[in-house]
Amino acid sequence: MNDTLPPAPSPHRPVRWLLPLAALAVLGAGGYAGYHYWQKQQSDQLAQAQTTAVQLKGLEATVEALRRDQRAASQRLQDAATTNRVLRDEMLGLSQRSALLEENLAKLADSANQGRQAVQRDEAELLLTQAAQRLAFADDVEGSRRLYALAATALADLPDSDGLNLRQALVQERNALDALGAGPRVQSLQRLDALGKALQGLPSQIAQTPADNTAKPWWQAALAPFVDITPSRLNGPLTSAERTTIDTALQLELTLARAAIERGDGSGRDAALNRIDLWAQRRWPDSPDLRAQRAELHALRTLPLQADNTVLGSTLQQLRTQTDRR
């Protein structure tokens, strides 16, 4: 019996087997990691492709929506352009109609203005005619002034080509009318009234002064204590009834003189004033006061009874001349 033991294994033999196994393990692990990475990369690429496809579809839908919006906008623009053309045509038509309306309105305004000016001319002519008639027939200076003021208002709106000369003539005529004062007839009536009051204040008898006695002849001075001799052709002694009759006649003649002055009757006024002069000499004795009133009677006979001014009536004449030229 062989009591020998097998040889002991070498300590380096297991290492030789472990190295290939370790290499295989490393390779397997690397391959698995690579495969896993490849799988993951494939899944990521697939997911990315799906996402890209979804985004592409979204973009296509957006582009299609934009195209639809563009087509709708183009259609709206075309409609707007058509509407603008229609509106432009309508505006042109409205402009032409507005021009025609303005032309017609201008013609109407011109016609209305001419009509208004014609009415103002007629009104001014009527007022000036009435003023001239008041002066000629009634010597109503105050009424004529009011009518001239109304005529000035009527002529104020006339254009300068026609109204300037009329307004200037009217101003001159109104100044001439103001210079008349109350009017010749009113002034004559005022002086006649003052004359009537002055006549009533004359004394019926005049006391003789010593100078009058010395001027008398000797036989009148001798008979003076017994009798008073006065010339009968001038002032005879008047009874109370005679004085009353003369006073009544004087009042009647004064009334007749007033009526003649008011109607502008110069001959009637002069006749009444002459009779007043005769009755005054019959009623009152000769005195300086009586002579002064007789001088006033003579002055009254010379006063005009109607305004005599060449300026008065000039505006009416110019207005009628312009009307005839039209």
Side-chain angles (χ1 to χ4, degrees), residues 217-235:
W218 64 270
W219 56 272
Q220 287 186 3
L223 294 176
F226 306 101
V227 63
D228 187 11
I229 300 173
T230 58
S232 60
R233 67 180 182 88
L234 294 178
N235 282 74

PDB file of all heavy atoms in Angstrom, residues 217-235:
ATOM      1  N   PRO A 217    -103.552 222.230 -24.623  1.00  0.00           N
ATOM      2  CA  PRO A 217    -103.849 223.664 -24.841  1.00  0.00           C
ATOM      3  C   PRO A 217    -104.471 224.299 -23.595  1.00  0.00           C
ATOM      4  O   PRO A 217    -104.981 223.594 -22.712  1.00  0.00           O
ATOM      5  CB  PRO A 217    -104.828 223.625 -26.012  1.00  0.00           C
ATOM      6  CG  PRO A 217    -104.602 222.286 -26.666  1.00  0.00           C
ATOM      7  CD  PRO A 217    -104.198 221.356 -25.563  1.00  0.00           C
ATOM      8  N   TRP A 218    -104.471 225.685 -23.556  1.00  0.00           N
ATOM      9  CA  TRP A 218    -104.923 226.374 -22.345  1.00  0.00           C
ATOM     10  C   TRP A 218    -106.394 226.154 -22.061  1.00  0.00           C
ATOM     11  O   TRP A 218    -106.811 226.056 -20.922  1.00  0.00           O
ATOM     12  CB  TRP A 218    -104.650 227.882 -22.475  1.00  0.00           C
ATOM     13  CG  TRP A 218    -105.437 228.516 -23.595  1.00  0.00           C
ATOM     14  CD1 TRP A 218    -105.087 228.659 -24.863  1.00  0.00           C
ATOM     15  CD2 TRP A 218    -106.749 229.077 -23.451  1.00  0.00           C
ATOM     16  NE1 TRP A 218    -106.057 229.275 -25.617  1.00  0.00           N
ATOM     17  CE2 TRP A 218    -107.124 229.538 -24.731  1.00  0.00           C
ATOM     18  CE3 TRP A 218    -107.644 229.225 -22.375  1.00  0.00           C
ATOM     19  CZ2 TRP A 218    -108.345 230.142 -24.976  1.00  0.00           C
ATOM     20  CZ3 TRP A 218    -108.857 229.843 -22.630  1.00  0.00           C
ATOM     21  CH2 TRP A 218    -109.218 230.284 -23.919  1.00  0.00           C
ATOM     22  N   TRP A 219    -107.160 225.974 -23.185  1.00  0.00           N
ATOM     23  CA  TRP A 219    -108.583 225.808 -22.961  1.00  0.00           C
ATOM     24  C   TRP A 219    -108.930 224.422 -22.431  1.00  0.00           C
ATOM     25  O   TRP A 219    -109.844 224.244 -21.645  1.00  0.00           O
ATOM     26  CB  TRP A 219    -109.373 226.100 -24.254  1.00  0.00           C
ATOM     27  CG  TRP A 219    -108.934 225.245 -25.443  1.00  0.00           C
ATOM     28  CD1 TRP A 219    -107.968 225.500 -26.313  1.00  0.00           C
ATOM     29  CD2 TRP A 219    -109.514 224.003 -25.810  1.00  0.00           C
ATOM     30  NE1 TRP A 219    -107.842 224.517 -27.247  1.00  0.00           N
ATOM     31  CE2 TRP A 219    -108.819 223.565 -26.963  1.00  0.00           C
ATOM     32  CE3 TRP A 219    -110.559 223.232 -25.301  1.00  0.00           C
ATOM     33  CZ2 TRP A 219    -109.120 222.371 -27.599  1.00  0.00           C
ATOM     34  CZ3 TRP A 219    -110.856 222.055 -25.949  1.00  0.00           C
ATOM     35  CH2 TRP A 219    -110.138 221.590 -27.092  1.00  0.00           C
ATOM     36  N   GLN A 220    -108.081 223.374 -22.826  1.00  0.00           N
ATOM     37  CA  GLN A 220    -108.299 222.055 -22.253  1.00  0.00           C
ATOM     38  C   GLN A 220    -107.892 222.026 -20.781  1.00  0.00           C
ATOM     39  O   GLN A 220    -108.566 221.396 -19.952  1.00  0.00           O
ATOM     40  CB  GLN A 220    -107.495 220.998 -23.031  1.00  0.00           C
ATOM     41  CG  GLN A 220    -108.065 220.692 -24.415  1.00  0.00           C
ATOM     42  CD  GLN A 220    -107.337 219.559 -25.096  1.00  0.00           C
ATOM     43  OE1 GLN A 220    -106.440 218.968 -24.503  1.00  0.00           O
ATOM     44  NE2 GLN A 220    -107.704 219.270 -26.342  1.00  0.00           N
ATOM     45  N   ALA A 221    -106.806 222.762 -20.465  1.00  0.00           N
ATOM     46  CA  ALA A 221    -106.391 222.823 -19.072  1.00  0.00           C
ATOM     47  C   ALA A 221    -107.424 223.548 -18.221  1.00  0.00           C
ATOM     48  O   ALA A 221    -107.645 223.203 -17.065  1.00  0.00           O
ATOM     49  CB  ALA A 221    -105.035 223.516 -18.967  1.00  0.00           C
ATOM     50  N   ALA A 222    -108.098 224.568 -18.802  1.00  0.00           N
ATOM     51  CA  ALA A 222    -109.119 225.310 -18.045  1.00  0.00           C
ATOM     52  C   ALA A 222    -110.361 224.475 -17.821  1.00  0.00           C
ATOM     53  O   ALA A 222    -111.006 224.550 -16.770  1.00  0.00           O
ATOM     54  CB  ALA A 222    -109.463 226.602 -18.771  1.00  0.00           C
ATOM     55  N   LEU A 223    -110.727 223.648 -18.798  1.00  0.00           N
ATOM     56  CA  LEU A 223    -111.938 222.840 -18.677  1.00  0.00           C
ATOM     57  C   LEU A 223    -111.697 221.466 -18.049  1.00  0.00           C
ATOM     58  O   LEU A 223    -112.638 220.693 -17.843  1.00  0.00           O
ATOM     59  CB  LEU A 223    -112.559 222.643 -20.054  1.00  0.00           C
ATOM     60  CG  LEU A 223    -113.090 223.917 -20.731  1.00  0.00           C
ATOM     61  CD1 LEU A 223    -113.587 223.597 -22.136  1.00  0.00           C
ATOM     62  CD2 LEU A 223    -114.212 224.531 -19.903  1.00  0.00           C
ATOM     63  N   ALA A 224    -110.427 221.136 -17.785  1.00  0.00           N
ATOM     64  CA  ALA A 224    -110.117 219.809 -17.250  1.00  0.00           C
ATOM     65  C   ALA A 224    -110.808 219.490 -15.945  1.00  0.00           C
ATOM     66  O   ALA A 224    -111.258 218.353 -15.740  1.00  0.00           O
ATOM     67  CB  ALA A 224    -108.598 219.667 -17.091  1.00  0.00           C
ATOM     68  N   PRO A 225    -110.963 220.480 -14.995  1.00  0.00           N
ATOM     69  CA  PRO A 225    -111.658 220.104 -13.760  1.00  0.00           C
ATOM     70  C   PRO A 225    -113.107 219.753 -13.987  1.00  0.00           C
ATOM     71  O   PRO A 225    -113.723 219.089 -13.135  1.00  0.00           O
ATOM     72  CB  PRO A 225    -111.487 221.333 -12.893  1.00  0.00           C
ATOM     73  CG  PRO A 225    -110.289 222.024 -13.419  1.00  0.00           C
ATOM     74  CD  PRO A 225    -110.359 221.818 -14.894  1.00  0.00           C
ATOM     75  N   PHE A 226    -113.715 220.215 -15.120  1.00  0.00           N
ATOM     76  CA  PHE A 226    -115.142 220.004 -15.332  1.00  0.00           C
ATOM     77  C   PHE A 226    -115.449 218.902 -16.334  1.00  0.00           C
ATOM     78  O   PHE A 226    -116.446 218.197 -16.196  1.00  0.00           O
ATOM     79  CB  PHE A 226    -115.794 221.330 -15.825  1.00  0.00           C
ATOM     80  CG  PHE A 226    -115.508 222.490 -14.915  1.00  0.00           C
ATOM     81  CD1 PHE A 226    -114.524 223.407 -15.242  1.00  0.00           C
ATOM     82  CD2 PHE A 226    -116.206 222.655 -13.725  1.00  0.00           C
ATOM     83  CE1 PHE A 226    -114.252 224.474 -14.414  1.00  0.00           C
ATOM     84  CE2 PHE A 226    -115.924 223.732 -12.899  1.00  0.00           C
ATOM     85  CZ  PHE A 226    -114.953 224.646 -13.225  1.00  0.00           C
ATOM     86  N   VAL A 227    -114.600 218.719 -17.352  1.00  0.00           N
ATOM     87  CA  VAL A 227    -114.869 217.745 -18.388  1.00  0.00           C
ATOM     88  C   VAL A 227    -113.547 217.220 -18.938  1.00  0.00           C
ATOM     89  O   VAL A 227    -112.561 217.942 -19.007  1.00  0.00           O
ATOM     90  CB  VAL A 227    -115.704 218.367 -19.537  1.00  0.00           C
ATOM     91  CG1 VAL A 227    -114.959 219.475 -20.236  1.00  0.00           C
ATOM     92  CG2 VAL A 227    -116.103 217.279 -20.560  1.00  0.00           C
ATOM     93  N   ASP A 228    -113.537 215.913 -19.330  1.00  0.00           N
ATOM     94  CA  ASP A 228    -112.342 215.286 -19.911  1.00  0.00           C
ATOM     95  C   ASP A 228    -112.631 215.050 -21.376  1.00  0.00           C
ATOM     96  O   ASP A 228    -113.556 214.296 -21.738  1.00  0.00           O
ATOM     97  CB  ASP A 228    -112.019 213.960 -19.201  1.00  0.00           C
ATOM     98  CG  ASP A 228    -110.691 213.380 -19.663  1.00  0.00           C
ATOM     99  OD1 ASP A 228    -109.950 214.098 -20.354  1.00  0.00           O
ATOM    100  OD2 ASP A 228    -110.410 212.204 -19.319  1.00  0.00           O
ATOM    101  N   ILE A 229    -111.868 215.705 -22.222  1.00  0.00           N
ATOM    102  CA  ILE A 229    -112.081 215.621 -23.661  1.00  0.00           C
ATOM    103  C   ILE A 229    -111.056 214.629 -24.225  1.00  0.00           C
ATOM    104  O   ILE A 229    -109.843 214.778 -24.037  1.00  0.00           O
ATOM    105  CB  ILE A 229    -111.922 216.991 -24.328  1.00  0.00           C
ATOM    106  CG1 ILE A 229    -112.940 217.977 -23.735  1.00  0.00           C
ATOM    107  CG2 ILE A 229    -112.079 216.884 -25.824  1.00  0.00           C
ATOM    108  CD1 ILE A 229    -112.749 219.383 -24.219  1.00  0.00           C
ATOM    109  N   THR A 230    -111.554 213.627 -24.929  1.00  0.00           N
ATOM    110  CA  THR A 230    -110.693 212.635 -25.602  1.00  0.00           C
ATOM    111  C   THR A 230    -111.119 212.508 -27.036  1.00  0.00           C
ATOM    112  O   THR A 230    -112.321 212.668 -27.355  1.00  0.00           O
ATOM    113  CB  THR A 230    -110.793 211.257 -24.922  1.00  0.00           C
ATOM    114  OG1 THR A 230    -112.166 210.837 -24.956  1.00  0.00           O
ATOM    115  CG2 THR A 230    -110.319 211.307 -23.489  1.00  0.00           C
ATOM    116  N   PRO A 231    -110.186 212.243 -27.969  1.00  0.00           N
ATOM    117  CA  PRO A 231    -110.571 212.087 -29.368  1.00  0.00           C
ATOM    118  C   PRO A 231    -111.475 210.871 -29.540  1.00  0.00           C
ATOM    119  O   PRO A 231    -111.119 209.750 -29.168  1.00  0.00           O
ATOM    120  CB  PRO A 231    -109.240 211.907 -30.090  1.00  0.00           C
ATOM    121  CG  PRO A 231    -108.211 212.444 -29.151  1.00  0.00           C
ATOM    122  CD  PRO A 231    -108.733 212.186 -27.773  1.00  0.00           C
ATOM    123  N   SER A 232    -112.634 211.086 -30.071  1.00  0.00           N
ATOM    124  CA  SER A 232    -113.599 209.990 -30.203  1.00  0.00           C
ATOM    125  C   SER A 232    -113.180 208.968 -31.252  1.00  0.00           C
ATOM    126  O   SER A 232    -113.599 207.816 -31.195  1.00  0.00           O
ATOM    127  CB  SER A 232    -114.983 210.547 -30.556  1.00  0.00           C
ATOM    128  OG  SER A 232    -114.893 211.260 -31.790  1.00  0.00           O
ATOM    129  N   ARG A 233    -112.345 209.363 -32.193  1.00  0.00           N
ATOM    130  CA  ARG A 233    -111.944 208.420 -33.220  1.00  0.00           C
ATOM    131  C   ARG A 233    -111.007 207.344 -32.694  1.00  0.00           C
ATOM    132  O   ARG A 233    -110.826 206.322 -33.315  1.00  0.00           O
ATOM    133  CB  ARG A 233    -111.267 209.168 -34.371  1.00  0.00           C
ATOM    134  CG  ARG A 233    -109.960 209.794 -34.019  1.00  0.00           C
ATOM    135  CD  ARG A 233    -109.348 210.532 -35.211  1.00  0.00           C
ATOM    136  NE  ARG A 233    -108.049 211.104 -34.863  1.00  0.00           N
ATOM    137  CZ  ARG A 233    -106.897 210.445 -34.974  1.00  0.00           C
ATOM    138  NH1 ARG A 233    -106.907 209.201 -35.393  1.00  0.00           N
ATOM    139  NH2 ARG A 233    -105.757 211.044 -34.660  1.00  0.00           N
ATOM    140  N   LEU A 234    -110.395 207.625 -31.534  1.00  0.00           N
ATOM    141  CA  LEU A 234    -109.492 206.641 -30.947  1.00  0.00           C
ATOM    142  C   LEU A 234    -110.130 205.938 -29.762  1.00  0.00           C
ATOM    143  O   LEU A 234    -110.384 204.736 -29.796  1.00  0.00           O
ATOM    144  CB  LEU A 234    -108.185 207.316 -30.523  1.00  0.00           C
ATOM    145  CG  LEU A 234    -107.327 207.877 -31.667  1.00  0.00           C
ATOM    146  CD1 LEU A 234    -106.103 208.561 -31.104  1.00  0.00           C
ATOM    147  CD2 LEU A 234    -106.942 206.792 -32.641  1.00  0.00           C
ATOM    148  N   ASN A 235    -110.357 206.655 -28.716  1.00  0.00           N
ATOM    149  CA  ASN A 235    -110.858 206.060 -27.488  1.00  0.00           C
ATOM    150  C   ASN A 235    -111.945 206.943 -26.921  1.00  0.00           C
ATOM    151  O   ASN A 235    -111.660 207.890 -26.164  1.00  0.00           O
ATOM    152  CB  ASN A 235    -109.736 205.919 -26.447  1.00  0.00           C
ATOM    153  CG  ASN A 235    -108.844 204.747 -26.742  1.00  0.00           C
ATOM    154  OD1 ASN A 235    -108.054 204.823 -27.652  1.00  0.00           O
ATOM    155  ND2 ASN A 235    -108.982 203.696 -25.975  1.00  0.00           N
TER     156      ASN A 235
END
